[in-house]
Amino acid sequence: PGGWNDPDFLMTELPPFTHQESITEFSFWSLFAAPLIVATDIRNMSDFKRSVLLNKEVIDVNQDKLAKAGDLLLNYTDGGQVWSKLLSDSSFAVILYNQNNRGSVNIQIKWTDLGWSSSAVAQIRDLWTHSDIGAFNGSFNSLVSGRSVRMLRITRIA
């Protein structure tokens, strides 16, 4: 409301982007509630590009009716970052991002970072693998490789 983020068009799978960088880019555009404008001929997309650009769960984050952009929540000194966006159903879209060019980083988000109590229990869904990861008490951490993301939907259940 009042304006939209516009980080430019999506370069999904265009050189020099790797597959993982394309997933990272689309994750952030969706978290930012930015227009999803693609620089490609949609009639001739590769299967990979189609799987990125048509990921309904990630697009749902972009199109959430709350119409709010996500923001940087935590910036760790080892290159790990946590980005979050409150969604209309009171869940959060969360990106765990490793901004390093190589190597993996263990990135943690605590429920207190989302404004919940440390004893809260939350259900986590991975939006790229389309899988429920499970219920976690107090926090969640994941190993994320360089220039990659883990995009999650975190819903408080207790």
Side-chain angles (χ1 to χ4, degrees):
W4 299 100
N5 287 310
D6 187 6
D8 210 346
F9 63 88
L10 289 154
M11 301 263 303
T12 307
E13 206 180 28
L14 293 176
F17 277 27
T18 65
H19 284 2
Q20 194 54 50
E21 289 168 333
S22 294
I23 288 170
T24 297
E25 175 197 42
F26 197 72
S27 297
F28 276 110
W29 261 243
S30 292
L31 193 84
F32 295 156
L36 299 177
I37 301 168
V38 296
T40 195
D41 180 351
I42 61 171
R43 299 167 299 170
N44 297 308
M45 291 191 292
S46 69
D47 289 340
F48 170 75
K49 188 180 283 192
R50 187 176 312 281
S51 74
V52 171
L53 297 178
L54 298 178
N55 182 324
K56 182 177 178 345
E57 292 183 82
V58 176
I59 292 170
D60 285 349
V61 169
N62 177 269
Q63 299 293 304
D64 185 74
K65 67 182 178 182
L66 204 55
K68 291 194 173 196
D71 205 352
L72 180 64
L73 184 63
L74 300 165
N75 194 13
Y76 293 110
T77 58
D78 62 2
Q81 293 181 338
V82 178
W83 293 73
S84 69
K85 174 181 178 174
L86 177 63
L87 301 173
S88 59
D89 67 355
S90 299
S91 67
F92 284 88
V94 171
I95 291 176
L96 306 179
Y97 173 53
N98 179 354
Q99 61 183 327
N100 298 309
N101 285 327
R102 60 181 79 82
S104 296
V105 174
N106 191 26
I107 304 173
Q108 181 181 54
I109 181 167
K110 297 177 185 173
W111 301 164
T112 53
D113 299 327
L114 299 175
W116 300 338
S117 74
S118 61
S119 61
V121 179
Q123 180 69 33
I124 300 182
R125 182 164 178 82
D126 187 306
L127 302 185
W128 284 106
T129 63
H130 307 289
S131 61
D132 291 323
I133 299 171
F136 293 82
N137 188 340
S139 67
F140 175 78
N141 64 292
S142 181
L143 199 59
V144 180
S145 58
R147 299 185 57 83
S148 297
V149 297
R150 185 118 193 236
M151 190 170 189
L152 311 167
R153 186 175 196 123
I154 302 178
T155 306
R156 185 175 178 170
I157 57 176

